[in-house]
Amino acid sequence: MSICGGFGRVFEVGPVFRAEKSNTHRHLCEFIGLDAEMEIKEHYFEVCDIIDGLFVAIFKHLNENCQKELETINRQYPFEPLKYLEKTLKLTYEEGIKMLKEAGTEIEPMGDLNTEAEKKLGRLVKEKYGTEFFILYRYPLAVRPFYTMPCYDDPAYSNSFDVFIRGEEIISGAQRIHTPELLRKRAIECGIDASTIASYIESFSYGAPPHGGFGVGLERVVMLFCALNNIRKTSLFPRDPQRLAP
């Protein structure tokens, strides 16, 4: 809605609360989120370019200015420095599926990657391209939220992407549908009662530029940058489905 109001780019950093039963090593019910949306001038890769520049700068800053802190972590939880490229690698979802199949892992070509497949793809990418930080784009439309923009050349796919560190997802992002007619159509196709999101759909009826965005869980970034085995080690008071106090 801020994008509709004329803001070219908006972002926020703040607490996020998710009441979901995710008892895993990488999920919290309360975390610090970085969320961003921006106008797209020509192509949704403009969003990917922001992520590329932002995270390469973050990695460089940590390595150059936080050596003392990283050494402290390394003494207790030894880890190899993260490998990344100056220009972040982008692979299509189809290319990722092909790499997995060639390595002996059968994946449904129009399905989503499970955790095991993501980790294996991370290892394959590291071996082939020498990086542990990469972007996988052009996901099948069926595995993305209803508000994701379909690809113009093939509506079975979408203008979406995920970003990975050491074989685990840290970011999910996409170009959003910005026309109310298509948004309503996609909601109905996905089994959503359009009347329950009427105010959301109506906000686009006043005119909205093409736009896209992404969300990042910052504790997960810390966990994977430092190759920790559990996200709870990155939070002072981790909240999960089993822990509320202290």
Side-chain angles (χ1 to χ4, degrees):
M1 290 181 179
S2 295
I3 295 292
C4 295
F7 291 91
R9 294 179 178 179
V10 295
F11 74 94
E12 62 179 357
V13 178
V16 180
F17 304 90
R18 298 187 70 166
E20 59 179 342
K21 297 178 181 179
S22 295
N23 291 290
T24 77
H25 74 284
R26 64 179 185 179
H27 285 90
L28 291 172
C29 291
E30 178 183 346
F31 60 92
I32 301 300
L34 186 162
D35 294 280
E37 292 287 330
M38 58 180 279
E39 283 188 23
I40 294 171
K41 303 300 183 184
E42 295 183 5
H43 197 282
Y44 74 98
F45 276 5
E46 293 163 31
V47 184
C48 296
D49 290 342
I50 292 291
I51 294 170
D52 176 10
L54 172 63
F55 277 86
V56 169
I58 288 172
F59 299 153
K60 284 183 176 179
H61 178 88
L62 291 173
N63 287 327
E64 293 172 4
N65 301 289
C66 302
Q67 292 180 358
K68 182 180 176 182
E69 290 84 355
L70 293 175
E71 287 169 4
T72 300
I73 296 169
N74 215 325
R75 282 197 297 273
Q76 186 170 3
Y77 302 107
F79 67 94
E80 292 294 323
L82 180 71
K83 290 187 175 182
Y84 62 93
L85 303 175
E86 286 292 322
K87 181 64 179 176
T88 301
L89 173 72
K90 289 198 290 285
L91 297 171
T92 66
Y93 188 83
E94 289 178 290
E95 288 173 324
I97 294 291
K98 183 180 178 183
M99 288 177 69
L100 286 167
K101 284 188 173 180
E102 289 174 348
T105 300
E106 282 301 317
I107 299 289
E108 168 58 44
M110 299 306 286
D112 206 356
L113 296 180
N114 58 31
T115 300
E116 183 181 344
E118 288 179 348
K119 287 185 176 181
K120 185 167 185 178
L121 181 59
R123 292 193 295 271
L124 294 171
V125 168
K126 182 181 178 182
E127 290 171 9
K128 185 172 182 179
Y129 298 100
T131 181
E132 297 174 286
F133 178 69
F134 67 96
I135 298 171
L136 196 65
Y137 69 97
R138 197 179 163 93
Y139 272 71
L141 184 64
V143 302
R144 307 302 280 201
F146 76 94
Y147 49 78
T148 306
M149 181 66 78
C151 284
Y152 297 105
D153 61 333
D154 187 347
Y157 291 91
S158 62
N159 290 356
S160 65
F161 58 87
D162 281 354
V163 183
F164 296 86
I165 295 179
R166 302 190 198 266
E168 296 197 48
E169 176 219 319
I170 61 157
I171 296 174
S172 189
Q175 179 180 353
R176 322 300 190 188
I177 294 173
H178 60 278
T179 58
E181 297 80 16
L182 180 56
L183 196 57
R184 184 177 291 103
K185 177 174 178 288
R186 283 292 300 143
I188 293 169
E189 289 174 352
C190 291
I192 297 170
D193 181 355
S195 66
T196 63
I197 55 170
S199 60
Y200 173 71
I201 295 173
E202 184 183 1
S203 67
F204 293 92
S205 66
Y206 300 101
H211 62 283
F214 58 91
V216 191
L218 296 181
E219 285 89 345
R220 192 179 294 185
V221 175
V222 174
M223 177 187 81
L224 294 169
F225 183 83
C226 297
L228 297 169
N229 64 356
N230 198 301
I231 196 168
R232 291 158 186 80
K233 293 175 179 175
T234 71
S235 177
L236 185 60
F237 295 107
R239 304 289 185 223
D240 60 30
Q242 307 303 321
R243 172 173 169 157
L244 181 62

